[in-house]
Amino acid sequence: MKIFNWTNSRLLLMIGVVLFLFSFTSKRNQNRKLTKSVVVFVGENTLFLKRETVNKLLIENNENASSIRKEKLALNRLERKLSSNEMIEQSDVFVSIDGVLKAVVKQKTPIARVFDGNDSFYIDYEGGVMPLSDNFTARVPLVTGAINKKNNDKLVQLLRVIYDDDFLKKNIIAIQIMPSGSLKMLNRNYNYQINFGGTANFEQKFKDYKAFFQKAVLDSSLYKYKKIDLRFTKQVVCTK
């Protein structure tokens, strides 16, 4: 019985010591100041937002990270603040063991630039609005005309297909939305206009256009055409 009690006493003492050390270390760690802040951009699009801009959002009103105590950090709030930036798609903020405030940031991916006569902005891959950047201009199709709730979803799907396809991404430089809802497109290297029609069956229309282009480019006939009509199913009608 004595051995049992001594064993229990030792166990309770050890637990008490561990809890004390953990509490002491935790408190001491909270009172420490940060050593620095680091911003890491991930993904392909890392040119629209500067590290200095994100860093200012992280340290807020402080001149540098070393003046901030760990206990005063609200990581969730900082994360929400970064993610609310119109250039940022997603962010993760944490503090490393050595006191480094680190933000891992994924910038938005623009797939088109819209010009509505009064304003200009990007449409990102998720279909949201993204402002223009002072640091970098994306090489994406210019969209003019009326974008509304009725055509927005299908248009974003079409723009994603262009962005994800190497051929279309290099060749389609402009899209005009007509009052009727039909689309007219321009090619980067040739002067013809593409009469695309509506957004219905747009994937098949792009397949038809690519098949036509690959054949016509071999005999240099693309320079002869003024209009390429894709409105008809599995047909490409050309006008000289």
Side-chain angles (χ1 to χ4, degrees):
M1 191 68 180
K2 291 182 179 180
I3 295 176
F4 177 78
N5 290 337
W6 173 242
T7 302
N8 285 345
S9 298
R10 290 180 61 188
L11 182 60
L12 289 173
L13 182 62
M14 290 175 64
I15 292 174
V17 171
V18 170
L19 290 175
F20 171 77
L21 291 175
F22 177 80
S23 177
F24 176 78
T25 305
S26 178
K27 185 67 177 177
R28 186 177 180 184
N29 188 50
Q30 286 182 348
N31 290 330
R32 285 181 177 176
K33 292 182 178 180
L34 300 175
T35 56
K36 62 179 179 178
S37 59
V38 175
V39 177
V40 178
F41 289 129
V42 296
E44 297 179 359
N45 298 286
T46 61
L47 301 172
F48 300 99
L49 205 58
K50 289 184 177 181
R51 283 183 171 81
E52 292 80 2
T53 302
V54 179
N55 195 54
K56 286 180 180 178
L57 292 173
L58 277 178
I59 63 178
E60 297 180 306
N61 297 325
N62 297 278
E63 294 183 0
N64 54 68
S66 62
S67 64
I68 305 174
R69 290 183 181 276
K70 287 185 179 181
E71 63 178 352
K72 292 186 177 181
L73 280 179
L75 297 180
N76 289 335
R77 183 170 59 81
L78 287 177
E79 223 169 70
R80 289 194 299 270
K81 187 172 184 179
L82 289 185
S83 297
S84 66
N85 187 284
E86 292 179 309
M87 294 285 189
I88 296 175
E89 179 179 326
Q90 189 176 357
S91 66
D92 184 22
V93 182
F94 57 93
V95 179
S96 63
I97 297 175
D98 54 350
V100 177
L101 177 62
K102 192 170 184 179
V104 180
V105 175
K106 181 180 180 182
Q107 297 185 32
K108 289 183 178 180
T109 302
I111 56 175
R113 179 172 177 173
V114 177
F115 181 71
D116 63 4
N118 299 314
D119 194 15
S120 187
F121 55 88
Y122 292 123
I123 294 177
D124 71 11
Y125 199 85
E126 302 301 321
V129 173
M130 176 181 175
L132 303 184
S133 170
D134 295 330
N135 305 316
F136 184 73
T137 301
R139 198 174 185 180
V140 292
L142 177 65
V143 178
T144 57
I147 299 177
N148 50 52
K149 292 181 179 179
K150 187 176 180 180
N151 62 20
N152 181 68
D153 291 343
K154 274 289 186 180
L155 183 62
V156 170
Q157 292 175 33
L158 180 146
L159 292 170
R160 284 188 193 131
V161 170
I162 293 176
Y163 182 84
D164 290 333
D165 187 286
D166 288 339
F167 169 81
L168 296 175
K169 190 176 183 178
K170 291 176 182 177
N171 285 273
I172 304 299
I173 61 170
I175 301 173
Q176 182 181 8
I177 305 173
M178 308 302 293
S180 63
S182 63
L183 307 178
K184 295 186 183 296
M185 302 182 184
L186 295 180
N187 183 284
R188 185 179 304 279
N189 300 312
Y190 300 93
N191 293 325
Y192 57 75
Q193 183 184 79
I194 303 171
N195 191 348
F196 196 82
T199 54
N201 302 317
F202 66 84
E203 291 181 323
Q204 182 60 51
K205 291 178 182 179
F206 280 136
K207 289 179 182 178
D208 296 342
Y209 175 64
K210 289 168 70 175
F212 157 77
F213 187 96
Q214 291 169 2
K215 184 177 180 180
V217 74
L218 296 176
D219 58 11
S220 301
S221 60
L222 288 172
Y223 290 103
K224 303 175 184 178
Y225 300 127
K226 293 182 179 179
K227 292 183 180 180
I228 307 295
D229 200 327
L230 302 175
R231 291 178 295 171
F232 309 101
T233 305
K234 295 186 178 180
Q235 292 185 47
V236 178
V237 180
C238 304
T239 304
K240 293 184 179 179

